[in-house]
C-alpha cells in the first residue's frame, strides 16, 4: 500500500466504521506497509482507506509481543500528561513535541466483541496519534505553535517542488 502524504485531503476526512469482512486482509496489508516504512503506527486514512482501523507496533511497549489492531477504537478514560517528539509517515519532513495524556483506556473491536486496552507512555501516545488520524487530525495540529509547524512544512514542500531541495 502507498502512504498518503500531506496535503492529501483523505488525511483530513473523518473515517467511517469498519465491517468484519474487511479486517483480516486489510490489517495484514497495513502491517506490511507499516514495517516497510519503519513506522510504529499506521491508520487507515494514511493508506487511502477512510476506515476506523489502525495498526500499532509492538515497539511501542515492552508489554506487547505482537502488533495491535485497533478496530473502531474509542478512548473512554484519560489521565496524566506526557510529551514525546512525534513524527508521522504522512507528514513527511517535520517532527515536534506534542503533549498528550500519559494513561488511557481504549475500547476496541467489532460490536459484540469489544475489549478494553489500557496503555501508558509511548504506547498511549501512539494510540492517541492514530485515533487522531481517524478523526482527520494530524500531530502538528496539537503542537504548541501549529501555525508555525504547518508553515514550515508548507515551505519545505514548496521548495522541494521548485527543485531547490
Ligand atoms: Co501519523
Amino acid at each position: 500500500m502507498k502512504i498518503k502524504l500531506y496535503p492529501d485531503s483523505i488525511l483530513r476526512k473523518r473515517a467511517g466504521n469498519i465491517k468484519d469482512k474487511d479486517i483480516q486482509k486489510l490489517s495484514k496489508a497495513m502491517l506490511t506497509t507499516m514495517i516497510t516504512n519503519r513506522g510504529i503506527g499506521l491508520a487507515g486514512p494514511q493508506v487511502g482507506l477512510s476506515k476506523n482501523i489502525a495498526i500499532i507496533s509492538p515497539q511501542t511497549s515492552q508489554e506487547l509481543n505482537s502488533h495491535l489492531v485497533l478496530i473502531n477504537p474509542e478512548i473512554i478514560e484519560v489521565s496524566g500528561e506526557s510529551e514525546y517528539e512525534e513524527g508521522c509517515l504522512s507528514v513527511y519532513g517535520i517532527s515536534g513535541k506534542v503533549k498528550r495524556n500519559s494513561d488511557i483506556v481504549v475500547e476496541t473491536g467489532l460490536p459484540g466483541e469489544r475489549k478494553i486496552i489500557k496503555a501508558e507512555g509511548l504506547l498511549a501516545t501512539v494510540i492517541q496519534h492514530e485515533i487522531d488520524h481517524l478523526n482527520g487530525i494530524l500531530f502538528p495540529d496539537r503542537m504548541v505553535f501549529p501555525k508555525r509547524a504547518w508553515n514550515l512544512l508548507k515551505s519545505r514542500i514548496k521548495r522541494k517542488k521548485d527543485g531547490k531541495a
Side-chain angles (χ1 to χ4, degrees):
M1 298 167 116
K2 235 189 132 205
I3 302 281
K4 299 286 181 186
L5 292 176
Y6 174 86
D8 195 310
S9 63
I10 196 164
L11 296 170
R12 289 307 198 179
K13 259 180 77 181
R14 193 178 284 266
N17 276 353
I18 191 155
K19 311 231 169 65
D20 46 352
K21 59 175 174 22
D22 306 328
I23 290 169
Q24 284 265 319
K25 249 168 97 177
L26 270 179
S27 58
K28 225 178 190 175
M30 285 177 65
L31 179 63
T32 308
T33 307
M34 182 181 75
I35 292 169
T36 309
N37 289 281
R38 297 167 187 267
I40 54 172
L42 187 70
Q46 292 186 273
V47 289
L49 193 83
S50 206
K51 298 271 182 194
N52 283 325
I53 180 171
I55 310 289
I56 313 280
S57 163
Q59 288 171 37
T60 56
S61 168
Q62 287 183 337
E63 281 164 43
L64 286 179
N65 35 34
S66 78
H67 67 280
L68 268 181
V69 182
L70 299 180
I71 301 293
N72 306 327
E74 207 182 314
I75 295 174
I76 53 174
E77 243 180 84
V78 297
S79 61
E81 205 177 69
S82 64
E83 190 178 56
Y84 282 92
E85 180 88 11
E86 297 191 21
C88 180
L89 293 175
S90 295
V91 188
Y92 194 77
I94 58 167
S95 64
K97 284 183 178 164
V98 179
K99 274 201 183 111
R100 297 188 187 270
N101 287 113
S102 57
D103 296 84
I104 59 171
V105 180
V106 182
E107 198 183 288
T108 169
L110 292 167
E113 45 190 76
R114 306 240 333 139
K115 58 178 183 183
I116 300 287
I117 295 174
K118 285 185 181 174
E120 56 168 29
L122 179 61
L123 174 60
T125 278
V126 175
I127 290 176
Q128 288 167 89
H129 177 119
E130 301 313 327
I131 291 178
D132 268 356
H133 272 299
L134 304 179
N135 292 309
I137 299 166
L138 301 169
F139 83 87
D141 300 335
R142 298 219 186 263
M143 285 171 65
V144 181
F145 299 109
K147 221 172 188 173
R148 198 155 81 186
W150 285 120
N151 284 340
L152 177 66
L153 181 67
K154 280 173 194 161
S155 72
R156 285 192 179 156
I157 291 172
K158 189 174 180 295
R159 244 183 301 161
K160 212 172 172 187
K161 234 196 227 155
D162 295 343
K164 294 177 204 147

